[in-house]
């Protein structure tokens, strides 16, 4: 079912409200501390809900596709690899999580850490060269294009947070503990180390064009 309506952070059995949401239409992001694990049934439910949302988003953005075409879509292959590796992480089986993550990296060319938190309906157009670090949080309905990096800044241990509906365009880098506001657009070719407000576009400086002498 795709109609998920609230942004939740699950910490063991305690339910915490996250700090970013949009009125009436917010993300679904699940988080569990490294030493805690969800029940297999609960983790399986989350996996099914997120894969259904990913399929819906893929169809909405790429046009109607039959099931087998979804499996061949490069962006959905990236989602499959991440979702299953994160599923095993959620139930405390880190070796299968690492194994699936490594296999997905080999097959898709995308390095998405199984500890990263990625909400429902996130798409990876073209699905190549994406790097997402272990502490990164991505809200719902984001689009992360090829050759982009979301990670820590010079080993500071802080990772970026993307709110709902953010688009990260090709060859962009979002580095450090920054927050990208909902429905913002980053790139292409932007190196970002500062937070960005909601509904904002961050663009690189226009190239200087000179007539040949």
């Amino acid at each position: 079912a795709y109609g998920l309506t609230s942004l939740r952070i699950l910490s063991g059995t305690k339910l915490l409200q996250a700090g970013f949401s949009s009125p009436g239409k917010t993300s679904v992001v699940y988080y569990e501390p490294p030493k805690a694990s969800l029940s297999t049934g609960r983790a399986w439910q989350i996996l099914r809900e997120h894969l259904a949302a990913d399929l819906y988003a893929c169809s909405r953005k790429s046009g109607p596709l039959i099931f087998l075409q979804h499996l061949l879509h490069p962006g959905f292959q990236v989602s499959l690899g991440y979702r299953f590796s994160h599923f095993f992480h959620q139930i405390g089986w880190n070796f299968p999580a690492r194994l699936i993550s490594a296999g997905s990296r080999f097959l898709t060319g995308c390095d998405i850490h199984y500890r990263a938190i990625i909400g429902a309906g996130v798409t990876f157009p073209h699905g190549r060269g994406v790097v997402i670090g272990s502490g990164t949080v991505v809200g719902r309905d984001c689009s992360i294009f090829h050759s982009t990096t979301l990670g820590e800044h010079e080993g500071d241990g802080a990772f970026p947070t993307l709110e709902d509906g953010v688009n990260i365009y090709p060859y962009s880098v979002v580095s450090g503990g920054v927050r990208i506001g909902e429905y913002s657009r980053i790139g292409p070719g932007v190196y970002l180390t500062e937070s960005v407000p909601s509904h904002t576009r961050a663009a690189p400086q226009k190239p200087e064009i000179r007539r040949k002498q």
Side-chain angles (χ1 to χ4, degrees):
Y2 180 64
L4 306 175
T5 56
S6 60
L7 173 58
R8 301 181 180 91
I9 291 184
L10 296 177
S11 176
T13 57
K14 186 177 181 182
L15 182 65
L16 305 174
Q17 286 299 121
F20 61 91
S21 62
S22 56
K25 186 178 180 182
T26 58
S27 297
V28 178
V29 177
Y30 298 93
Y31 172 75
E32 56 298 334
K35 294 183 179 179
S37 59
L38 299 179
S39 68
T40 303
R42 180 58 177 150
W44 182 251
Q45 179 188 2
I46 294 171
L47 174 66
R48 291 174 57 194
E49 290 174 345
H50 281 195
L51 283 177
D54 294 344
L55 278 171
Y56 177 84
C58 190
S59 295
R60 180 165 50 86
K61 295 178 182 180
S62 300
L65 299 172
I66 63 174
F67 180 71
L68 290 179
Q69 287 178 318
H70 277 114
L71 295 180
L72 297 175
H73 191 284
F76 188 64
Q77 290 172 355
V78 176
S79 296
L80 276 176
Y82 163 75
R83 296 295 182 199
F84 277 97
S85 65
H86 190 66
F87 163 77
F88 282 105
H89 166 61
Q90 286 181 311
I91 63 176
W93 293 17
N94 281 332
F95 178 73
R98 289 176 181 269
L99 191 63
I100 294 172
S101 183
S104 177
R105 181 169 60 249
F106 175 77
L107 293 173
T108 66
C110 294
D111 187 3
I112 303 178
H113 201 282
Y114 59 87
R115 289 183 184 271
I117 305 163
I118 299 180
V122 172
T123 57
F124 300 92
H126 310 296
R128 203 72 179 174
V130 175
V131 178
I132 298 179
S134 60
T136 304
V137 177
V138 179
R140 192 180 74 173
D141 290 333
C142 295
S143 292
I144 302 175
F145 284 75
H146 54 284
S147 302
T148 59
T149 300
L150 310 175
E152 58 185 340
H153 180 66
E154 298 180 353
D156 62 0
F159 291 83
T161 296
L162 276 58
E163 299 184 10
D164 293 355
V166 172
N167 283 6
I168 308 292
Y169 288 102
Y171 302 103
S172 293
V173 176
V174 181
S175 181
V178 302
R179 179 180 293 272
I180 309 301
E182 60 184 6
Y183 303 107
S184 291
R185 303 290 181 263
I186 308 300
V190 169
Y191 185 83
L192 190 66
T193 58
E194 299 180 1
S195 294
V196 173
S198 301
H199 302 278
T200 301
R201 178 183 293 274
Q205 185 176 3
K206 292 184 178 180
E208 183 178 357
I209 302 175
R210 296 181 179 180
R211 185 181 298 274
K212 293 177 66 176
Q213 300 297 327

